[in-house]
């Protein structure tokens, strides 16, 4: 047998060392599992982040566009003399809600409170014929509204900025309805329908009147409870040719 040269010995030794180093670097079953789990967590985090962006930003963009187009249609109809008296034509929207303390921007009000309606960035009114009463009807009752607090336009996002004594103004084709906030319920069960009663006794009222109720989810970014704001009608102003808003909105 031929003698192994020093060079061959070094090559064999180097190869063994290289294979040994590779073996040491190769993770075992536990290491592989930890690595895969870590990659899954990173992926899940990215997906969750994208979902949050979609829910809290992109849905707002889409809803604001939809609400803007619908609002333009309503005002165009008003300018051209279309729509029922007092904006009772509920197909496109019945009017606009103005709450200076909340944002100052107008919110289109449409019929119904399903997500299909509210996801367009509008407020919807409850249609219970016993409890609800549209301001334009002249009947006593509770004009109750709902809107999203986050995502899909977040029309009522700043509802917690409203304080007792603040104005709430509802604008229709030919009248301004000016309400004054008299009570607030920061948290109640989402199953508490008594807050929408024709006479909202939880707010301290005992007699029929012309009330308005704003409802939305709370805490913000959840739907665990409901936030309630009650107001009572103070006066009604006729819309002039220039649609000059009441003093509360100037």
């Amino acid at each position: 047998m031929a003698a192994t040269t020093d060079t061959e010995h070094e090559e064999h030794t180097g190869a063994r060392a290289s294979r040994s180093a590779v073996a040491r670097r190769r993770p075992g079953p536990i290491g592989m599992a930890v690595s895969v789990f870590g990659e899954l967590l990173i992926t899940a985090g990215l997906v969750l982040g994208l979902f949050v962006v979609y829910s809290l930003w992109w849905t707002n963009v889409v809803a604001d566009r939809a609400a803007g187009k619908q609002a333009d249609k309503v005002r165009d109809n008003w300018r051209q003399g279309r729509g029922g008296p007092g904006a009772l034509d509920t197909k496109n929207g019945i009017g606009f809600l103005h709450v200076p303390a909340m944002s100052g921007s107008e919110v289109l009000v449409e019929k119904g409170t399903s997500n299909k309606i509210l996801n367009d960035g509008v407020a919807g009114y409850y249609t219970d014929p016993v409890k609800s009463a549209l301001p334009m009807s002249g009947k006593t009752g509770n004009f109750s509204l709902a809107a999203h607090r986050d995502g899909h336009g977040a029309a009522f996002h700043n509802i917690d900025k409203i304080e007792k004594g603040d104005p709430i103004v509802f604008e229709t084709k030919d009248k301004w309805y000016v309400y004054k906030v008299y009570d607030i319920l920061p948290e109640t069960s989402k199953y508490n329908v008594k807050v929408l009663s024709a006479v909202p006794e939880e707010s301290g009222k005992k007699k029929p009147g012309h009330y308005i109720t704003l409802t939305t989810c709370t805490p913000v970014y959840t739907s665990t409870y409901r936030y309630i704001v009650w107001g009572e009608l103070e006066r009604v102003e006729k819309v002039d040719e220039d649609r000059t808003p009441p003093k509360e909105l100037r």
Side-chain angles (χ1 to χ4, degrees):
M1 180 181 292
T4 302
T5 65
D6 290 342
T7 300
E8 291 174 333
H9 178 74
E10 290 175 358
E11 290 177 349
H12 287 306
T13 301
R16 286 197 300 272
S18 178
R19 288 194 295 272
S20 177
V22 170
R24 286 196 300 271
R25 289 196 299 268
R26 185 180 298 126
I30 295 178
M32 286 290 291
V34 171
S35 177
V36 171
F37 183 65
E39 291 178 359
L40 289 175
L41 284 178
I42 292 173
T43 301
L46 290 173
V47 172
L48 181 60
L50 290 173
F51 177 75
V52 170
V53 170
Y54 168 79
S55 298
L56 301 181
W57 178 72
W58 182 246
T59 60
N60 285 340
V61 172
V62 174
D64 287 343
R65 289 175 181 171
K69 289 180 180 179
Q70 196 62 31
D72 289 342
K73 288 182 181 179
V74 172
R75 291 204 176 277
D76 285 343
N77 286 338
W78 288 359
R79 281 191 291 268
Q80 296 176 33
R82 295 196 296 265
L88 287 173
D89 180 0
T90 61
K91 181 179 179 180
N92 297 316
I94 63 170
F96 297 89
L97 188 72
H98 303 265
V99 187
M102 193 159 59
S103 66
S105 60
E106 63 182 30
V107 178
L108 179 64
V109 177
E110 295 188 3
K111 180 180 181 180
T113 57
S114 68
N115 280 333
K116 183 178 180 181
I117 299 294
L118 303 186
N119 283 357
D120 279 343
V122 304
Y125 68 88
Y126 291 87
T127 57
D128 187 320
V130 176
K131 300 177 182 178
S132 301
L134 294 176
M136 304 83 76
S137 70
K139 299 178 181 178
T140 59
N142 194 350
F143 180 38
S144 302
L145 307 169
H148 287 305
R149 195 172 184 188
D150 55 82
H152 300 285
F156 283 2
H157 183 75
N158 292 320
I159 194 170
D160 59 315
K161 306 298 183 185
I162 301 175
E163 298 179 352
K164 292 181 181 180
D166 285 343
I168 297 175
V169 179
F170 181 59
E171 175 192 2
T172 68
K173 178 183 176 182
D174 46 26
K175 290 181 181 179
W176 301 92
Y177 296 84
V178 182
Y179 297 84
K180 183 177 180 180
V181 175
Y182 66 86
D183 200 16
I184 297 170
L185 183 59
E187 184 179 296
T188 189
S189 169
K190 56 186 173 182
Y191 304 109
N192 182 6
V193 296
K194 292 182 179 180
V195 297
L196 308 176
S197 297
V199 179
E201 294 186 2
E202 283 194 61
S203 68
K205 296 297 181 180
K206 303 297 181 182
K207 298 179 180 180
H210 298 275
Y211 305 111
I212 189 170
T213 302
L214 309 184
T215 71
T216 194
C217 297
T218 199
V220 67
Y221 306 124
T222 73
S223 58
T224 308
Y225 301 102
R226 295 293 180 267
Y227 196 106
I228 312 297
V229 173
W230 286 291
E232 187 170 14
L233 186 66
E234 280 201 324
R235 70 182 191 279
V236 180
E237 293 185 10
K238 190 173 182 179
V239 172
D240 60 24
E241 292 183 359
D242 298 323
R243 298 200 73 84
T244 305
K247 61 183 181 181
E248 286 80 2
L249 301 182
R250 298 175 200 166

